[in-house]
Amino acid sequence: MSTDLHWSKSSYSDGEGECLEIALTPTTIHIRDSKSPTTPTVQVTPTTWTAFLNTLP
């Protein structure tokens, strides 16, 4: 399924390969390592993703 998703990198990405990519669906946030896009993804709910983002400075 992850091949059908639209992946995005943060605008804060430095281009050195040290970043994550995310893909949004209505029920799931998919997260992957940008250096290894074919490895399994981490999947969380939008509620969990929002809670995580709210912990960031």
Side-chain angles (χ1 to χ4, degrees):
M1 172 174 178
S2 62
T3 58
D4 297 333
L5 299 170
H6 174 75
W7 293 95
S8 301
K9 285 185 189 177
S10 169
S11 60
Y12 292 100
S13 175
D14 62 8
E16 298 293 321
E18 300 292 329
C19 62
L20 298 175
E21 295 176 322
I22 64 165
L24 308 175
T25 67
T27 59
T28 308
I29 309 301
H30 302 262
I31 307 162
R32 72 180 181 187
D33 182 348
S34 64
K35 295 183 306 295
S36 302
T38 59
T39 59
T41 64
V42 173
Q43 299 174 15
V44 297
T45 65
T47 302
T48 301
W49 182 247
T50 299
F52 167 71
L53 292 177
N54 286 334
T55 67
L56 301 175

